[in-house]
Amino acid sequence: MASPADATSRPARRQVAKDKVLGLQASGPTRGTSGGGKPGQTYNIYYDKWSGGSRDDRSTLNKEKSPYRCDPVKDTGRTKGTYNPNAYFCAFFAKGCCPNGEECGWLHRIPTRLDQADTGKDVFGRERFDEHRDDRGGVGSMRSDSKSLYVGRIHPSSANEAIIEKHFRPWGELEKVKVLKDKGIGFVTYQNRLNAEFAKEAMANQSLDHGEVVNIRWATEDPNPKMQAMNKRKAVEMTRQAIESKLPGDVVEAENRLEGAETAGTAKRAKQELAVNTATNDPAPTLYQGEDGQYYYDYGAYGYNHETHQYDPARLGQYQGQAAKSSTTPLSLQDRVKASLQSTTTATTVTTPSVPEKVKDTKPAASALGALAAYGSDSEDDDED
């Protein structure tokens, strides 16, 4: 991959002649024809979309291999955009068909980590949308820092990581490559969003080692929470590095000294807490870094930050789950009634005085219903003298 120094050491060459690109735009060819095209259809290479014509006709067009392809080693060079700090990258250069060469007002090189990403625009200066398109194509979404590409229609003989990496590494530093051989698809993840956006345009309608025309789209986000948290931390770190690269050296040095002072203060507070714990014979908590990047003191079942007064969310959930399992299961209504009756019976047995066995119960008063058994008796023996 050509370095940024190569972009200023030599002038950029013209990738194609002007009449070829102008003729391509003027004729309005369709993807299923080599020239002319259907009436009313015009292909916009800047946005990679067709306009005009019948929607049914466009949906049935077959992709053909692009006649152009960017060669970063030969095509990287100095342009007018090199001296413009606000210049974006040339989309025609990425597709291998820029006719302007060193007269181009855009950048003719591969993005690097030093290039700051714009949230509202892609690497080519095109407006990003609020959501991804339904087919996961197009410019992309502002809501996600998309760095993974879906690669479809891979020939079975090309379905291995080495071949995919060979064709996608020239467009930037790769983080990982995964290929599903039985499905003929792959996933390519770059370390920088700008490189992923550049590669998506550079490899559109291109072929691998066996002449297949690959289908490039944005991959869906990984639903794994740990991967999302890790990607978020990486994005924050890359943003910090990009900002520091734009700052003067004395400012960065002052910031590093401030971070060192904060670290020393944290160590001092830890020593003080260690002395207190030693005096009380309690085990001293150790300091660790949680999954969210914050520092917590290890108290065994949970972690706690005394400065922010927050618990470690990852370990707090485990602690609460263990506490819930170890807690006593609440009694049902039937069990509570049984317990209440047993307690009442016990209390009556303790407080009621015993009655002598020889004491005869008092007979109830005679009534008109003397022939009947008295209330509360099981037999008629109580009516006899």
Side-chain angles (χ1 to χ4, degrees):
M1 183 174 63
S3 63
D6 298 334
T8 58
S9 62
R10 65 186 182 190
R13 74 185 187 99
R14 301 178 188 271
Q15 293 173 304
V16 295
K18 284 190 175 182
D19 56 345
K20 288 187 177 181
V21 177
L22 293 178
L24 174 65
Q25 294 174 337
S27 61
T30 61
R31 298 187 184 185
T33 60
S34 58
K38 298 182 180 180
Q41 290 189 7
T42 303
Y43 176 59
N44 189 330
I45 192 174
Y46 189 65
Y47 279 97
D48 189 22
K49 65 181 293 187
W50 292 88
S51 61
S54 172
R55 180 176 297 274
D56 295 335
D57 293 338
R58 294 200 305 273
S59 62
T60 57
L61 295 176
N62 295 322
K63 288 187 176 182
E64 289 187 353
K65 181 181 177 181
S66 173
Y68 311 105
R69 182 161 182 168
C70 177
D71 187 347
V73 178
K74 296 180 180 180
D75 297 338
T76 297
R78 181 179 65 252
T79 63
K80 290 183 178 180
T82 304
Y83 308 100
N84 181 6
N86 299 321
Y88 289 91
F89 290 82
C90 180
F92 291 89
F93 164 75
K95 292 180 177 291
C97 59
C98 181
N100 297 320
E102 61 179 329
E103 298 298 324
C104 183
W106 306 77
L107 300 176
H108 279 211
R109 62 177 177 84
I110 304 300
T112 65
R113 290 187 177 184
L114 300 179
D115 296 311
Q116 190 171 0
D118 189 345
T119 305
K121 295 182 179 180
D122 71 346
V123 68
F124 305 110
R126 302 177 299 189
E127 297 289 343
R128 301 175 74 197
F129 300 101
D130 184 59
E131 297 287 349
H132 279 288
R133 279 179 13 185
D134 293 340
D135 60 354
R136 307 294 293 185
V139 178
S141 171
M142 295 187 297
R143 293 179 176 267
S144 61
D145 192 30
S146 302
K147 297 185 295 183
S148 298
L149 299 176
Y150 163 90
V151 185
R153 300 177 182 170
I154 301 177
H155 191 275
S157 301
S158 301
N160 63 75
E161 284 78 3
I163 295 179
I164 301 299
E165 183 176 348
K166 179 183 70 174
H167 287 272
F168 283 86
R169 183 172 291 279
W171 317 118
E173 298 181 24
L174 296 177
E175 183 173 313
K176 63 179 179 179
V177 176
K178 183 178 181 180
V179 177
L180 304 180
K181 298 182 180 181
D182 56 337
K183 298 182 180 298
I185 61 176
F187 298 92
V188 180
T189 302
Y190 286 87
Q191 296 186 6
N192 190 358
R193 173 173 67 86
L194 299 181
N195 295 104
E197 293 172 343
F198 193 97
K200 183 176 180 297
E201 297 300 322
M203 291 300 296
N205 299 332
Q206 298 292 343
S207 62
L208 303 182
D209 286 0
H210 295 84
E212 70 276 35
V213 180
V214 294
N215 178 23
I216 308 295
R217 294 180 291 172
W218 292 113
T220 56
E221 300 295 335
D222 194 332
N224 189 344
K226 292 185 178 180
M227 291 298 300
Q228 292 180 354
M230 183 179 67
N231 294 334
K232 184 178 180 180
R233 290 195 298 270
K234 287 183 178 180
V236 172
E237 179 63 21
M238 292 182 63
T239 303
R240 185 186 65 82
Q241 294 177 359
I243 294 175
E244 288 184 352
S245 65
K246 303 293 183 180
L247 296 176
D250 54 348
V251 176
V252 177
E253 184 179 356
E255 182 182 359
N256 293 334
R257 288 200 302 269
L258 180 61
E259 291 181 355
E262 293 179 354
T263 304
T266 303
K268 183 178 180 181
R269 287 189 296 271
K271 290 182 179 180
Q272 294 175 352
E273 293 186 2
L274 178 60
V276 173
N277 291 324
T278 303
T280 57
N281 294 325
D282 293 333
T286 58
L287 193 65
Y288 71 95
Q289 187 175 12
E291 296 181 358
D292 56 354
Q294 301 294 328
Y295 286 91
Y296 300 93
Y297 285 99
D298 187 2
Y299 288 97
Y302 62 92
Y304 186 74
N305 189 319
H306 293 278
E307 295 183 355
T308 60
H309 304 287
Q310 293 180 351
Y311 290 91
D312 184 358
R315 299 182 61 178
L316 181 61
Q318 299 177 1
Y319 172 70
Q320 292 176 344
Q322 294 175 0
K325 290 181 180 179
S326 60
S327 62
T328 305
T329 305
L331 297 174
S332 63
L333 178 59
Q334 184 178 2
D335 294 337
R336 290 200 299 271
V337 171
K338 289 181 178 180
S340 177
L341 292 175
Q342 290 176 358
S343 62
T344 304
T345 303
T346 304
T348 304
T349 304
V350 173
T351 57
T352 303
S354 59
V355 180
E357 297 180 358
K358 295 183 178 181
V359 176
K360 189 176 182 180
D361 295 336
T362 305
K363 294 175 68 175
S367 64
L369 300 178
L372 298 179
Y375 178 77
S377 175
D378 294 332
S379 65
E380 296 182 354
D381 296 340
D382 294 338
D383 293 335
E384 298 178 355
D385 294 335

